[in-house]
């Protein structure tokens, strides 16, 4: 079964600050053309928001983070 939880970068928002790349200790990111790129989805830790929390542009969302991805009032606590 393929990994469900991993980061996805909105390249239109990303400013290339590398905070996400520097934050992650699990080898999920590599640098490609001066931008962080997700190269190792399998390395990402289920439920971790570490890189997304560091992103100044809020350019990172997570596959599998349905509560954030689906904008529905049923998700409001
Ligand atoms: S969510 Fe955590 S483990 Fe996954 S890429 Fe970001 S910092 Fe690394
Ligand atoms: S932290 Fe956000 S803005 Fe900075 S490089 Fe990563 S995705 Fe781009």
């Amino acid at each position: 079964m393929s990994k469900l939880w991993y980061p996805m970068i909105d390249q239109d928002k990303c400013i290339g600050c590398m905070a996400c790349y520097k934050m992650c200790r699990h080898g999920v990111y590599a640098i490609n053309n001066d931008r962080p790129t997700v190269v190792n989805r399998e390395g990402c830790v289920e439920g971790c928001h570490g890189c997304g929390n560091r992103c100044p542009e809020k350019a990172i969302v997570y596959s599998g983070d349905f509560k954030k991805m689906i904008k529905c009032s049923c998700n409001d606590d």
Side-chain angles (χ1 to χ4, degrees), residues 16-60:
C17 70
M18 303 298 172
C20 53
Y21 172 78
K22 291 174 187 166
M23 170 75 196
C24 185
R25 302 172 188 165
H26 299 278
V28 174
Y29 292 101
I31 298 174
N32 186 14
N33 292 328
D34 295 326
R35 289 294 166 110
T37 307
V38 176
V39 294
N40 176 24
R41 292 178 179 179
E42 297 296 324
C44 187
V45 178
E46 184 86 20
C48 179
H49 288 85
C51 52
N53 287 342
R54 290 288 176 96
C55 178
E57 301 300 317
K58 300 194 183 332
I60 298 173

